[in-house]
């Protein structure tokens, strides 16, 4: 249903319930600075992702900026979590678009004022094409929020462990 091979999901759940350590998966991204405010991210065997800033912020606007990738990661994770939850409850979804918006106070980034320079006021809108009732859509939305790896990471205080190496 909804284009998901649930046999794979069920087999993983069975395997991980017997050997929980296998369920801990490492992820990695390599980001190489190009020039100015531009970088390239390489993730797995996928095409490179260009990271840039808009021209009005001294970039070249040739790719999304890091905040836009963050919003995309959240929206992507929530959309897949929504569909997975729908499958688990046998709900057919004909279409789903997730819109994520957020605000950043650049005054903090630029040192004009103090505060947290992170994104705040994250707003998520699920645009759903389905025949199920509204209450069930709301349940799926809350399910998606509760199982979203990216959403839960954003909401928690994850420790960042920086180190450096000379090239």
């Amino acid at each position: 249903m909804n284009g998901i091979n649930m046999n794979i999901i069920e087999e993983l759940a069975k395997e991980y319930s017997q050997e929980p350590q296998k369920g801990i998966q490492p992820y990695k991204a390599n980001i190489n600075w190009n020039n100015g405010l531009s970088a390239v991210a390489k993730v797995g065997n996928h095409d490179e992702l260009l990271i840039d800033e808009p021209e009005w912020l001294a970039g070249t606007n040739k790719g999304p900026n890091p905040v836009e990738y963050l919003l995309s990661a959240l929206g992507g994770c929530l959309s897949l979590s929504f569909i997975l939850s729908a499958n688990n409850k046998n709900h057919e979804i004909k279409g789903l678009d997730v819109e994520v918006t957020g605000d950043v106070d650049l005054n903090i980034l630029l040192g004009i004022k103090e505060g947290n320079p992170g994104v705040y006021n994250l707003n998520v809108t699920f645009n759903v094409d389905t025949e199920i009732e509204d209450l069930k859509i709301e349940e799926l939305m809350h399910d998606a929020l509760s199982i979203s790896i990216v959403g839960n990471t954003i909401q928690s205080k994850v420790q960042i462990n920086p180190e450096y190496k000379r090239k």
Side-chain angles (χ1 to χ4, degrees):
M1 179 178 296
N2 299 318
I4 298 175
N5 182 343
M6 288 305 289
N7 291 331
I8 293 173
I9 303 295
E10 291 163 2
E11 285 298 316
L12 279 176
K14 181 180 176 182
E15 180 182 352
Y16 294 170
S17 68
Q18 294 169 357
E19 297 181 64
Q21 197 63 25
K22 284 188 172 182
I24 299 172
Q25 295 293 316
Y27 287 84
K28 180 180 179 179
N30 288 307
I31 294 80
N32 294 303
W33 170 67
N34 278 338
N35 188 25
L37 293 177
S38 177
V40 173
K42 182 69 177 150
V43 183
N45 295 324
H46 305 287
D47 291 339
E48 293 181 340
L49 301 171
L50 180 62
I51 303 166
D52 200 356
E53 290 291 350
E55 290 178 6
W56 61 265
L57 194 55
T60 61
N61 202 34
K62 292 183 180 168
N65 70 27
V67 172
E68 292 165 327
Y69 276 117
L70 175 71
L71 299 180
S72 297
L74 176 60
C77 191
L78 288 172
S79 66
L80 301 180
S81 297
F82 187 97
I83 295 299
L84 183 59
S85 296
N87 262 45
N88 287 336
K89 295 182 177 184
N90 294 314
H91 297 315
E92 183 180 354
I93 305 299
K94 297 177 183 176
L96 174 66
D97 298 312
V98 176
E99 179 180 291
V100 183
T101 62
D103 298 314
V104 175
D105 188 343
L106 294 178
N107 293 300
I108 299 167
L109 174 72
L110 299 173
I112 298 168
K113 71 179 195 180
E114 291 186 16
N116 182 337
V119 178
Y120 62 98
N121 290 333
L122 281 171
N123 301 297
V124 180
T125 303
F126 292 80
N127 299 297
V128 187
D129 182 6
T130 185
E131 303 208 2
I132 63 174
E133 60 191 58
D134 289 348
L135 183 59
K136 292 186 188 285
I137 294 172
E138 288 182 25
E139 288 175 7
L140 291 175
M141 182 177 67
H142 291 291
D143 289 348
L145 288 166
S146 71
I147 66 170
S148 167
I149 293 169
V150 175
N152 281 285
T153 301
I154 290 171
Q155 292 184 49
S156 69
K157 295 249 181 195
V158 175
Q159 183 172 334
I160 298 173
N161 304 306
E163 65 176 85
Y164 75 89
K165 298 175 184 175
R166 292 190 181 270
K167 287 187 166 188

